Amino acid sequence: MSNEVNTDLLKERSTATFDAERLTEFIYKGPEKVKRKRQIQNIVLQDKFLQSFKPTEFYDRDGQYNNAVRRQIYIMDRLEELGFRSETDRLNFREAAAPVELSPFGLHSGMFVPTLERQGTPEQSRKWVPLGKSFKMIGTYAQTELGHGTFIRGLETTATFDPETQEFILDSPTLSSIKYWPGNVAKTVNHCLVMAQLYTQGKCHGTHLFLVQVRSMEDHTIMPGLEIGDIGPKLGFDGVDNGFMKFNKYRIPRMNMLMRYAKVLENGDYIKPKNAKLTYGAMVMVRVWIVMDAFKALSRATVIAVRYSAVRRQSELRPGGEEAQVIDYQTQQYKLFPLLATSYAFLLAAEGMSQIYAKISSDIERGNLEDMPQLHALACGLKAFCTWVGCEGIEVCRMSCGGHGYSHASGIPKIYANIVGACTYEGENTVMMLQTARYLSKSYFRGQRGESLPELIQYLTIDLNVKSTLGEDCSFESLVAAYSHRAARMVATACKLQNANKQKGMPSHDAWNKSTVPFIAATKAHCHLLYAVYGIVENMGEFMQDGYFNQDQISILNRKVLALLEDIRPNAVALVDAFDYPDHLLQSCLGRYDGQVYEALYENSKSSPLNNTDIHSSYYNYIRPMMQKRSKSKDISAKL
Amino acid sequence: MSNEVNTDLLKERSTATFDAERLTEFIYKGPEKVKRKRQIQNIVLQDKFLQSFKPTEFYDRDGQYNNAVRRQIYIMDRLEELGFRSETDRLNFREAAAPVELSPFGLHSGMFVPTLERQGTPEQSRKWVPLGKSFKMIGTYAQTELGHGTFIRGLETTATFDPETQEFILDSPTLSSIKYWPGNVAKTVNHCLVMAQLYTQGKCHGTHLFLVQVRSMEDHTIMPGLEIGDIGPKLGFDGVDNGFMKFNKYRIPRMNMLMRYAKVLENGDYIKPKNAKLTYGAMVMVRVWIVMDAFKALSRATVIAVRYSAVRRQSELRPGGEEAQVIDYQTQQYKLFPLLATSYAFLLAAEGMSQIYAKISSDIERGNLEDMPQLHALACGLKAFCTWVGCEGIEVCRMSCGGHGYSHASGIPKIYANIVGACTYEGENTVMMLQTARYLSKSYFRGQRGESLPELIQYLTIDLNVKSTLGEDCSFESLVAAYSHRAARMVATACKLQNANKQKGMPSHDAWNKSTVPFIAATKAHCHLLYAVYGIVENMGEFMQDGYFNQDQISILNRKVLALLEDIRPNAVALVDAFDYPDHLLQSCLGRYDGQVYEALYENSKSSPLNNTDIHSSYYNYIRPMMQKRSKSKDISAKL
């Protein structure tokens, strides 16, 4: 590899009108933190073992899983040696050390141990948490079943209390009750927190969590009474052993039910939890993380696409001139610059969400549940919105790299494959949107009754007859007003349809279902407040159906969006540089900081496993015999 | 597997209001052809060898390529034995025998041999075509380079004539000139048609085709002077050996240039072709095929998603009621039913395109080139439109299957991964759209000058002041008028911006570039005439920016789209059944005709390669040592 930076990229960087380093400091909250982040990333870069892995797509699933186990154990050991205390430091190390790989112990540390801590009794925690922390117990969390996902009440796995033996009998009574999808169940863990319907004294008390040993802690053999296996290959998460698990009247001690809130006594009496919603925080937290994941995924794709667009030259912009940087095509700018802006918007949204989450969850811990619906609605809506928009955007970035985007060497297919799962896991997106929609509907009707609304949704009560004051300057206030107006109008329209359906005599669940399409649109509009001019132009119909904008204002916006592309153009590369993702994190031949994309592609190709031999075995086994058979009868000279 | 059909699917089929079999007959052009198609698919189903392959995602790339070679040679042999004469029969056999696999000999038969036939002189054809047909020569077509794709004039590979030896010297003078992407170059072929810049007598005459031997026909060794290899793993096309190829002053005989149109004489004189556009038809034909591919991909995804949505039950639609079929959720209907309609629209578009292609290309062969621009514009626009819309739709179908859609067992990830390549190959979509845009722009200005326009674009001259007459019935005429109005208005707007840019003093290429975003939007509108109510509602802003619809009409359309969902609901399953895709073609656990989805998923999982052992080797190599090391210091009892 040459050490030179591509001249187009050099020029982009020297002509930017702001200092990318200052923006990096803003993103990571100060120069000290940037420095620290880079130090940690450098430790990884200097680590020969960590740098010895080939690109993940060069391995098959077996090899990818094997690598994940091997590397993640090494990472855990190194983290202990390094002794980082800050979670940010640890995260930076893990991300740099394994940028596209999920840890087989991630659910152990992120879900299993914390849930034992939070939902076990003090005695249970004292007993199990040390076993978890010392990896005697390796665990995960098993909820989803073949026939049941987002709707937890529908789970079918049963845990029936047997007072005779003081045991619960775990059972999978139907095909659709088989646990299916839980991460790391297939090969890695020896314990599972299993969500099951609790039965005692002949009565069902809904879903509860049970600690279930699934493999021997001595020799890893599967416990008798269980059937466990890998569910098979997926779109992404190649190296993850998502598993299935079938219980055949499998017995566990009574004390393996997590009993901090609900309990089953020795005689089989069931004691209800005081507040059913207290276990709810973890789900919200995971959704906040997902918004951050969407930011990371989209921003990485954007870095790759923007840098490559500055390096790639294709076709003549001026007849007879040299081939142009593709970033100079207006159509390319219109694809990428709004996604660049979206990346920044997602970052701010994720950080805002985290702050709101921290505040509200400390309120909740003090017993103040008032803001929980608001937090829930916000987390559901943004989880769905950011994953949908982010995933679509990543594919746009990939295709904006032309044919090379289709190669794994671009790095983008893996980014997409991994994040797109988030559209359907941890709450399927449409279901999430509808939870937010319910909240908007309730809030709308409360507003109509004159009740006061939380700050984030006070806009639902604005006067919809007021028209836009947007002028040539497209002021920030006029844009916010437009988004508020549009969302408020669409929520009102959906609510009115819901009401009209009721008045036609539909039962209320039917009236709701038959207005959910407009509600989804309204909820997207509610989440869309992250945007500015582009969001209006792309969704013009929703903004103008009631005459909110006049003809002149529409023309202003259409002109403005094209003008903004030219404003951003000189700073596009600096704006992606500011994310400060080192090459070994991006894992992309196209997104390299030095822009030496063709050299990188060529070098990468040469090490593809299919190049281990010059002549593939299938030539000897199939092609040569076929050629011989076919040419035999025809006696054709081989000489050209 | 049980042989019963899922009761929900049974009910869907019995309550449909039309006979799916009649629609199948319409799709395949008569009951005889349906019968014939099924017979052929049945031959495949009875073939033990063809049914012996496991799902493709259970193999690594090496295995997938090996399977492809093995199976496709078998298919060629069987086709010879069966002696099908009709291309439809052969296609039906091939599709049923290898539904998600590309043949390593597909480019040989589809591009290499036909190009020798069409672009070789009679003597060249006589010499080479029999060698190709007898598979002594196995060939492909090499055009794309590391640095050059859609813009063919930019290719850098050179073919320099040396009159001394009567040879061409093929060379890759730069890194970016290395051939990169051509299918089957890496491992399969021994010959290549190479697109290269022809140099003779010190002058460049642009790109021409050369027949180049790349491997020995005796032992398959790579010819000296060439560097050849696999480019590495991609998003899809896993089993295809897309290759790179570098020429190091590699010599071929003068007569290996395809000389039907252009020629290089012994003395090095260059003879120009009479008409440069005559070689153009193949590219148009490939784009027509791609529209058909987009139909097949989207319709398969739709079949899977609609059937699964009828089988899958999730959440309560009515509180306390049984879990509802997800197809009964309005939001699910809004995702799937427009895509079901789009599938039918794509089928009709692909067939219409084929007919126009046949007519115009026979005109062209008779020397009448008048309609060529129209055909070109149509093929470019529909290729881009149908692949973009189809690919987005496939992902919507996949995600509408919830978490299970993410598993390869759903069959949808492979459909997406393979067809999405078509957005960037054979002409990158935005470039394709801009070709159509150029045609629309030229036509618009011709229309403004009073010249007559071809039928398909006569709408560009309609009076834009006429408002919509759409009423409660949403008549077909009023919908067509709306789409025409919208497209005509958007083309006019883009053209006016182009003109205004010129009048501001921009050079014309700049004026064009700076109006391409509105032109892309206008071109999409032009292609969008396939649609009806849904297309208007989803793009309302574009239809109403000039007041074409009044408030009442907008309300009518918004109501209509929801009402249509209910109209389609009872026939959704029958509408997908009508495509008549047998299970062994769909390769989907979720899209099975019998709806036994959970049984299928569970059985499929059990045979996943990661289940070959109960305990993965990484346990012994890494997990157990880690556990021992960590528990050693802590001496914690393992007893729970």
Side-chain angles (χ1 to χ4, degrees):
Chain A
M1 281 282 183
S2 64
N3 285 317
E4 281 171 29
V5 174
N6 168 287
T7 50
D8 285 324
L9 271 184
L10 275 180
K11 186 160 152 271
E12 295 292 335
R13 287 176 181 134
S14 69
T15 55
T17 64
F18 76 101
D19 182 355
E21 184 72 10
R22 290 289 90 72
L23 185 52
T24 303
E25 289 165 5
F26 169 79
I27 294 172
Y28 295 99
K29 306 189 193 312
E32 281 308 310
K33 297 213 166 140
V34 172
K35 199 176 150 195
R36 176 79 178 159
K37 178 184 82 77
R38 287 178 185 158
Q39 279 172 346
I40 289 171
Q41 288 167 338
N42 254 320
I43 297 173
V44 172
L45 191 59
Q46 304 305 324
D47 187 306
K48 283 195 184 130
F49 176 79
L50 288 173
Q51 297 307 316
S52 70
F53 292 84
K54 288 187 200 157
T56 170
E57 59 274 9
F58 282 5
Y59 299 89
D60 63 9
R61 271 199 80 207
D62 195 79
Q64 288 175 338
Y65 173 68
N66 191 65
N67 280 349
V69 172
R70 189 170 170 226
R71 172 153 52 187
Q72 295 293 339
I73 288 175
Y74 178 85
I75 290 171
M76 294 193 299
D77 288 347
R78 284 291 284 145
L79 278 172
E80 276 195 11
E81 288 163 34
L82 291 161
F84 295 144
R85 289 210 196 139
S86 118
E87 193 41 56
T88 307
D89 287 353
R90 299 168 65 84
L91 182 64
N92 281 330
F93 187 86
R94 279 197 300 263
E95 274 190 2
V100 287
E101 175 182 276
L102 278 91
S103 169
F105 312 104
L107 289 166
H108 170 84
S109 308
M111 284 285 279
F112 179 76
V113 176
T115 306
L116 289 177
E117 275 174 329
R118 273 196 306 264
Q119 300 199 33
T121 62
E123 309 84 69
Q124 287 177 325
S125 285
R126 270 199 301 277
K127 183 171 166 191
W128 293 326
V129 169
L131 290 170
K133 290 196 167 166
S134 68
F135 283 82
K136 188 79 193 164
M137 259 188 198
I138 304 174
T140 188
Y141 194 95
Q143 179 170 309
T144 304
E145 298 172 357
L146 259 174
H148 309 278
T150 302
F151 184 66
I152 300 171
R153 273 191 288 148
L155 292 174
E156 291 180 83
T157 302
T158 55
T160 307
F161 184 60
D162 176 359
E164 294 278 314
T165 60
Q166 291 288 305
E167 288 171 325
F168 286 102
I169 306 163
L170 273 282
D171 199 40
S172 309
T174 59
L175 180 67
S176 53
S177 75
I178 296 172
K179 293 289 175 192
Y180 200 90
W181 282 105
N184 314 323
V185 155
K187 300 287 153 185
T188 310
V189 302
N190 53 30
H191 281 76
C192 248
L193 283 168
V194 174
M195 190 71 96
Q197 300 286 357
L198 164 63
Y199 283 85
T200 178
Q201 299 171 341
K203 217 182 133 199
C204 180
H205 295 279
T207 56
H208 291 72
L209 277 178
F210 300 85
L211 177 68
V212 180
Q213 181 170 2
V214 298
R215 285 177 183 266
S216 155
M217 290 190 286
E218 303 309 318
D219 62 12
H220 219 55
T221 49
I222 296 170
M223 301 298 278
L226 297 182
E227 192 186 338
I228 290 178
D230 174 70
I231 66 163
K234 297 142 299 195
L235 171 52
F237 286 25
D238 309 303
V240 179
D241 57 324
N242 297 84
F244 65 83
M245 181 161 54
K246 186 170 182 294
F247 299 100
N248 183 16
K249 305 207 189 310
Y250 182 74
R251 286 173 174 266
I252 59 171
R254 178 178 68 91
M255 283 313 296
N256 278 24
M257 173 175 156
L258 298 201
M259 296 216 203
R260 181 172 206 149
Y261 300 110
K263 292 184 198 342
V264 170
L265 305 183
E266 290 184 23
N267 64 359
D269 283 359
Y270 175 75
I271 313 290
K272 266 204 290 201
K274 282 192 187 135
N275 189 319
K277 290 191 174 171
L278 281 173
T279 59
Y280 190 81
M283 256 159 70
V284 173
M285 189 184 60
V286 171
R287 288 174 193 151
V288 176
W289 288 344
I290 291 175
V291 174
M292 187 54 90
D293 289 344
F295 155 68
K296 287 179 184 172
L298 178 60
S299 58
R300 287 180 194 183
T302 312
V303 174
I304 295 167
V306 168
R307 283 189 185 152
Y308 180 62
S309 298
V311 169
R312 176 74 168 182
R313 288 176 168 274
Q314 197 75 176
S315 291
E316 298 162 354
L317 204 49
R318 186 166 57 80
E322 67 178 339
E323 290 192 73
Q325 290 171 280
V326 296
I327 201 173
D328 278 330
Y329 291 92
Q330 189 184 49
T331 51
Q332 188 80 348
Q333 297 172 1
Y334 195 71
K335 288 177 193 173
L336 295 180
F337 295 172
L339 293 172
L340 179 50
T342 302
S343 298
Y344 279 97
F346 280 11
L347 172 64
L348 300 177
E351 292 189 341
M353 267 296 302
S354 298
Q355 284 162 18
I356 295 174
Y357 172 76
K359 188 199 161 297
I360 296 184
S361 59
S362 82
D363 288 353
I364 291 171
E365 268 172 40
R366 287 197 306 272
N368 173 2
L369 302 184
E370 195 189 334
D371 285 335
M372 204 141 107
Q374 190 187 345
L375 175 64
H376 177 219
L378 191 65
C380 289
L382 281 180
K383 181 268 186 190
F385 185 86
C386 294
T387 52
W388 265 335
V389 171
C391 289
E392 269 185 39
I394 291 164
E395 276 295 80
V396 170
C397 287
R398 190 183 62 71
M399 291 194 239
S400 80
C401 297
H404 291 327
Y406 193 70
S407 167
H408 272 301
S410 72
I412 306 184
K414 286 275 180 235
I415 296 175
Y416 182 76
N418 284 341
I419 189 68
V420 78
C423 293
T424 43
Y425 67 58
E426 291 297 335
E428 190 276 333
N429 274 1
T430 301
V431 177
M432 290 298 94
M433 278 276 170
L434 287 176
Q435 305 243 346
T436 307
R438 283 264 189 211
Y439 174 74
L440 292 174
S441 167
K442 278 184 197 158
S443 302
Y444 172 82
F445 289 118
R446 281 175 54 204
Q448 291 293 302
R449 289 193 301 268
E451 296 174 31
S452 79
L453 297 177
E455 198 187 330
L456 277 175
I457 48 164
Q458 274 168 15
Y459 76 84
L460 289 178
T461 59
I462 57 173
D463 180 358
L464 291 175
N465 294 310
V466 174
K467 301 300 175 198
S468 173
T469 59
L470 178 128
E472 278 292 346
D473 64 342
C474 293
S475 73
F476 189 66
E477 291 70 26
S478 66
L479 294 173
V480 172
Y483 279 93
S484 301
H485 174 88
R486 169 226 200 181
R489 179 189 66 74
M490 291 177 76
V491 171
T493 304
C495 288
K496 282 174 194 160
L497 177 60
Q498 184 188 4
N499 249 353
N501 286 342
K502 273 190 207 165
Q503 276 157 16
K504 273 194 247 166
M506 285 186 202
S508 69
H509 62 270
D510 235 15
W512 169 252
N513 185 35
K514 293 205 188 301
S515 60
T516 48
V517 166
F519 264 116
I520 289 280
T523 306
K524 283 183 187 163
H526 169 70
C527 297
H528 211 204
L529 282 151
L530 299 166
Y531 284 69
V533 180
Y534 172 82
I536 300 179
V537 169
E538 280 290 297
N539 298 278
M540 190 62 91
E542 295 177 357
F543 284 89
M544 53 183 296
Q545 289 196 21
D546 59 352
Y548 179 70
F549 284 129
N550 61 37
Q551 290 287 328
D552 288 344
Q553 291 171 322
I554 293 163
S555 301
I556 289 171
L557 288 160
N558 281 327
R559 281 200 306 271
K560 182 73 177 177
V561 79
L562 298 184
L564 282 169
L565 298 179
E566 303 199 32
D567 291 349
I568 294 163
R569 170 67 189 86
N571 288 314
V573 168
L575 283 164
V576 300
D577 282 351
F579 290 122
D580 200 48
Y581 297 143
D583 286 345
H584 64 283
L585 186 75
L586 284 177
Q587 298 272 317
S588 166
C589 293
L590 304 186
R592 298 166 58 88
Y593 185 82
D594 68 5
Q596 299 296 354
V597 298
Y598 299 131
E599 213 166 342
L601 281 172
Y602 181 49
E603 290 303 321
N604 182 278
S605 291
K606 283 198 274 190
S607 53
S608 163
L610 264 194
N611 294 327
N612 290 344
T613 54
D614 268 350
I615 300 175
H616 193 264
S617 59
S618 61
Y619 169 74
Y620 302 109
N621 294 331
Y622 312 113
I623 294 178
R624 192 171 57 183
M626 179 270 286
M627 292 172 80
Q628 287 167 347
K629 181 178 144 198
R630 287 183 179 247
S631 63
K632 213 177 281 174
S633 55
K634 308 201 177 167
D635 187 37
I636 293 159
S637 152
K639 190 86 183 85
L640 285 184
Chain B
M1 281 284 185
S2 64
N3 283 317
E4 280 169 31
V5 174
N6 168 285
T7 50
D8 286 324
L9 272 183
L10 275 180
K11 187 160 151 273
E12 295 292 334
R13 287 178 181 131
S14 68
T15 55
T17 63
F18 76 100
D19 182 355
E21 185 70 9
R22 291 290 88 75
L23 185 52
T24 303
E25 290 165 5
F26 168 80
I27 293 172
Y28 295 97
K29 306 190 196 311
E32 281 309 310
K33 297 209 167 146
V34 172
K35 201 176 147 196
R36 177 77 178 159
K37 179 185 80 80
R38 288 177 185 160
Q39 279 171 346
I40 289 171
Q41 289 167 335
N42 254 320
I43 296 173
V44 172
L45 191 60
Q46 304 304 325
D47 187 309
K48 283 195 184 132
F49 177 79
L50 288 172
Q51 297 306 315
S52 70
F53 291 85
K54 287 186 201 160
T56 169
E57 59 272 10
F58 284 5
Y59 300 89
D60 63 8
R61 272 198 80 209
D62 196 80
Q64 288 174 339
Y65 173 68
N66 191 64
N67 280 347
V69 172
R70 189 170 169 227
R71 174 154 49 188
Q72 295 292 339
I73 288 176
Y74 179 86
I75 290 171
M76 294 191 299
D77 288 348
R78 284 290 284 145
L79 278 172
E80 278 195 9
E81 287 164 32
L82 290 161
F84 295 144
R85 288 208 200 141
S86 116
E87 194 40 56
T88 307
D89 288 351
R90 299 169 65 85
L91 182 65
N92 281 330
F93 187 86
R94 280 198 300 264
E95 274 190 2
V100 287
E101 176 182 276
L102 278 90
S103 170
F105 311 104
L107 289 165
H108 171 84
S109 309
M111 284 284 278
F112 179 75
V113 177
T115 306
L116 289 177
E117 276 175 328
R118 273 196 305 265
Q119 301 199 34
T121 62
E123 309 84 70
Q124 288 177 322
S125 284
R126 268 199 303 277
K127 184 172 166 188
W128 293 327
V129 169
L131 290 169
K133 290 197 168 165
S134 68
F135 284 82
K136 190 79 192 162
M137 259 188 199
I138 305 174
T140 188
Y141 193 96
Q143 179 170 307
T144 304
E145 299 173 356
L146 259 175
H148 309 278
T150 302
F151 184 66
I152 300 171
R153 272 191 288 149
L155 292 173
E156 292 180 83
T157 302
T158 56
T160 308
F161 183 60
D162 176 359
E164 296 275 316
T165 61
Q166 292 288 307
E167 289 171 324
F168 287 103
I169 307 163
L170 274 281
D171 198 41
S172 310
T174 59
L175 180 68
S176 52
S177 74
I178 296 172
K179 292 290 175 191
Y180 200 90
W181 281 106
N184 314 323
V185 155
K187 300 287 153 185
T188 310
V189 301
N190 53 31
H191 282 75
C192 248
L193 284 168
V194 174
M195 190 72 95
Q197 300 286 358
L198 165 62
Y199 283 84
T200 179
Q201 299 171 340
K203 216 183 133 199
C204 180
H205 296 279
T207 57
H208 290 73
L209 277 178
F210 301 84
L211 177 67
V212 180
Q213 182 171 1
V214 298
R215 286 176 183 266
S216 155
M217 290 190 285
E218 303 308 320
D219 61 14
H220 218 55
T221 48
I222 296 170
M223 301 299 277
L226 297 182
E227 191 186 336
I228 290 178
D230 174 70
I231 65 162
K234 297 142 299 200
L235 171 54
F237 286 24
D238 309 303
V240 179
D241 58 323
N242 296 83
F244 64 83
M245 182 161 52
K246 186 169 182 293
F247 299 100
N248 182 17
K249 304 206 190 311
Y250 181 75
R251 286 173 174 267
I252 59 170
R254 179 178 66 91
M255 284 312 296
N256 278 23
M257 172 175 155
L258 298 202
M259 297 216 202
R260 181 171 207 149
Y261 301 110
K263 291 183 199 341
V264 171
L265 304 183
E266 292 184 19
N267 64 358
D269 284 0
Y270 175 74
I271 313 289
K272 265 204 291 199
K274 283 192 187 132
N275 188 319
K277 289 192 174 169
L278 281 173
T279 59
Y280 191 82
M283 257 159 70
V284 173
M285 191 184 60
V286 171
R287 288 171 193 153
V288 177
W289 289 344
I290 289 176
V291 174
M292 187 54 89
D293 289 344
F295 155 69
K296 286 179 184 172
L298 179 60
S299 58
R300 287 181 194 182
T302 312
V303 174
I304 294 167
V306 168
R307 283 189 186 152
Y308 180 63
S309 298
V311 169
R312 176 74 169 182
R313 289 177 168 273
Q314 197 76 178
S315 292
E316 297 163 354
L317 204 49
R318 185 167 56 81
E322 66 177 341
E323 290 193 73
Q325 290 171 280
V326 296
I327 201 172
D328 278 329
Y329 291 93
Q330 190 184 48
T331 51
Q332 189 80 349
Q333 297 172 0
Y334 195 71
K335 287 177 194 172
L336 295 180
F337 296 171
L339 293 172
L340 179 50
T342 302
S343 297
Y344 279 96
F346 280 12
L347 172 64
L348 300 176
E351 292 189 341
M353 269 291 305
S354 299
Q355 285 162 16
I356 295 173
Y357 173 74
K359 189 201 160 297
I360 296 183
S361 58
S362 83
D363 288 354
I364 292 170
E365 268 172 40
R366 286 197 304 271
N368 173 3
L369 303 183
E370 195 190 333
D371 286 334
M372 205 143 109
Q374 190 186 345
L375 175 64
H376 177 220
L378 191 65
C380 290
L382 282 180
K383 181 270 186 187
F385 185 86
C386 293
T387 52
W388 266 335
V389 171
C391 290
E392 269 186 38
I394 291 164
E395 276 295 80
V396 170
C397 287
R398 190 183 62 71
M399 292 195 235
S400 80
C401 297
H404 292 326
Y406 193 70
S407 168
H408 273 302
S410 73
I412 306 183
K414 286 276 180 235
I415 296 175
Y416 182 76
N418 284 342
I419 189 68
V420 78
C423 293
T424 42
Y425 67 57
E426 291 297 334
E428 191 275 332
N429 274 0
T430 301
V431 177
M432 290 297 95
M433 278 276 171
L434 287 176
Q435 305 244 349
T436 306
R438 284 263 190 211
Y439 175 73
L440 292 174
S441 166
K442 280 183 194 158
S443 302
Y444 172 82
F445 290 116
R446 282 176 54 204
Q448 291 291 302
R449 290 193 300 269
E451 294 174 34
S452 79
L453 297 176
E455 199 188 328
L456 277 175
I457 48 162
Q458 273 168 15
Y459 76 85
L460 289 177
T461 59
I462 57 174
D463 179 357
L464 291 176
N465 294 309
V466 173
K467 302 299 175 199
S468 172
T469 59
L470 178 130
E472 278 292 345
D473 65 342
C474 293
S475 74
F476 189 66
E477 291 71 25
S478 66
L479 294 173
V480 172
Y483 280 92
S484 301
H485 173 87
R486 169 225 199 182
R489 179 189 65 76
M490 291 177 76
V491 170
T493 303
C495 288
K496 282 175 193 159
L497 177 59
Q498 185 189 3
N499 249 353
N501 286 343
K502 273 190 205 165
Q503 276 156 17
K504 273 193 244 163
M506 284 185 202
S508 71
H509 62 270
D510 235 13
W512 169 251
N513 184 35
K514 294 205 189 301
S515 60
T516 47
V517 166
F519 264 116
I520 289 281
T523 306
K524 284 183 187 164
H526 169 71
C527 296
H528 211 202
L529 281 151
L530 297 166
Y531 284 71
V533 180
Y534 173 82
I536 300 180
V537 169
E538 280 290 298
N539 299 277
M540 190 62 92
E542 295 178 357
F543 283 89
M544 53 183 296
Q545 289 197 20
D546 60 351
Y548 179 70
F549 285 129
N550 62 37
Q551 290 287 330
D552 288 344
Q553 291 171 322
I554 292 163
S555 300
I556 288 171
L557 288 160
N558 281 328
R559 281 199 307 272
K560 182 72 179 176
V561 79
L562 299 184
L564 281 169
L565 298 179
E566 303 198 30
D567 291 349
I568 293 163
R569 170 65 189 87
N571 288 315
V573 168
L575 282 164
V576 300
D577 283 350
F579 289 122
D580 201 46
Y581 297 144
D583 287 345
H584 63 285
L585 187 74
L586 285 177
Q587 298 271 318
S588 166
C589 292
L590 304 186
R592 298 166 58 88
Y593 186 82
D594 68 6
Q596 299 297 355
V597 298
Y598 299 130
E599 214 167 341
L601 281 172
Y602 181 49
E603 290 303 320
N604 181 280
S605 290
K606 284 198 275 190
S607 53
S608 164
L610 266 194
N611 294 326
N612 290 345
T613 53
D614 267 351
I615 300 175
H616 193 264
S617 59
S618 61
Y619 169 75
Y620 301 109
N621 294 331
Y622 312 114
I623 295 179
R624 192 172 54 183
M626 179 271 285
M627 292 171 79
Q628 286 167 345
K629 180 178 144 196
R630 286 182 181 248
S631 62
K632 213 178 278 172
S633 54
K634 308 202 175 165
D635 186 38
I636 293 158
S637 150
K639 189 83 185 87
L640 287 185

